[in-house]
Structure formats: C-alpha cells, structure tokens
Amino acid sequence: MKMIGLLGLLASAAAQAQVTLPLPAGYPTLLGASCGGVHVASYVTGFDNNGYIRGEVYAWTRCSGSGRGGGYQSQTYQAWHTIVWDLRQNYKLLPYDNVVPDPAFVATDAYGNSILDTCSVTTEGQPACVASAYIYYVPPTMAPISDTTPVNSDVRGRPVNLDR
C-alpha cells in the first residue's frame, strides 16, 4: 500500500514546479550595512561532487547623505559570497570562491535535477538573477522511502487504507 503512495510522490515530484533557492534571512548583516534596504541577486554555478547545488550571492546597498560643506555624497557597499544548497533546499554560506556567475547558466545532474538562473534587468552592473531549481529526485545518499509490503504478499482486491 505504501508503494502506491511512493509512486504518487514520485509522480508529483516529476511535475514539481520551479522553486527559488533560499537565501539567509539575515543576509544584510553579512554585507555590513543596510541603507534603505539591501538588494540581492543569486546565481547557480553548477553541481559539486556531492550533487549539491553551488552558486554565488551578490548583495549591495547605497548609503547617501549631505557631506561637509554641502553637496550630496553616496557610497555603495557590495559583497559576494559562495552558497551551497542541498537538494532539500538547505544552504551553507561560504567565502566567495571567485567563480564568475553566468546569467544564462542551466545544468542537469545525473538524477534529472535541473538548476538555472532566472534574470531580469540589471542591478549595479550585475544581472538581477534568482537561483532556482527543478528537483525531481533525491540521490541515494539521502534516506530512501522504503516499501514495507512483503514481496510475496497478495494485496489484490484488498481495500486501500491511506491512514497508515
């Protein structure tokens, strides 16, 4: 009976919509300044050896005000960080690894998971991108869902109990 639920889960995963990969909630603190809001763009750059999604995060904010002797002055604060997402959409932030993001990047791993950047316009000379993924299958290194129905059981003609 659990096999039917598993097949339904796999079928729904195959039809899963594109999901935006999460960013740290406290990201402005990593930038070190927030003057009227921090603008963030995220990019995917590939799958690492563990099958996790690697990417880059770019953040910027502009602080402005009147300077001595009048006049208007502004300063832009910018930061790059490398980010790693697992296929459960958790993330780990790392120091920037100098991988240049490609806004047109698209990749698919051996399990059918695909990652891409959805970009629109530019921000501070960088494409305003959002790293996203279609996650179809979790690799075998993660806990599998098991079927507890004995192999030799004849379950034909029995009612389906979905409450188990």
Side-chain angles (χ1 to χ4, degrees):
M1 296 308 154
K2 287 190 179 181
M3 184 57 113
I4 294 170
L6 175 61
L7 292 175
L9 177 68
L10 291 175
S12 67
Q16 183 175 1
Q18 180 177 345
V19 293
T20 300
L21 297 170
L23 294 174
Y27 194 79
T29 60
L30 296 171
L31 183 56
S34 175
C35 307
V38 173
H39 307 274
V40 178
S42 56
Y43 305 81
V44 290
T45 56
F47 290 98
D48 68 9
N49 293 338
N50 297 317
Y52 296 153
I53 301 166
R54 288 188 71 89
E56 311 299 334
V57 178
Y58 170 70
W60 68 274
T61 189
R62 182 174 296 129
C63 301
S64 56
S66 298
R68 282 190 165 170
Y72 184 79
Q73 296 179 348
S74 69
Q75 178 163 353
T76 300
Y77 296 90
Q78 304 177 67
W80 282 97
H81 287 88
T82 294
I83 190 166
V84 177
W85 293 278
D86 66 23
L87 292 178
R88 293 185 177 145
Q89 298 177 37
N90 298 313
Y91 58 82
K92 182 194 321 185
L93 209 59
L94 305 168
Y96 184 52
D97 62 6
N98 295 313
V99 173
V100 177
D102 176 3
F105 180 85
V106 177
T108 303
D109 71 2
Y111 303 103
N113 302 301
S114 59
I115 55 178
L116 62 147
D117 296 317
T118 306
C119 303
S120 61
V121 297
T122 61
T123 176
E124 285 300 299
Q126 296 294 326
C129 297
V130 176
S132 55
Y134 289 92
I135 300 173
Y136 297 103
Y137 177 78
V138 177
T141 56
M142 297 184 184
I145 299 172
S146 62
D147 178 9
T148 57
T149 304
V151 176
N152 296 329
S153 292
D154 184 0
V155 294
R156 292 178 288 176
R158 293 187 185 175
V160 175
N161 182 1
L162 299 176
D163 295 330
R164 295 197 310 166

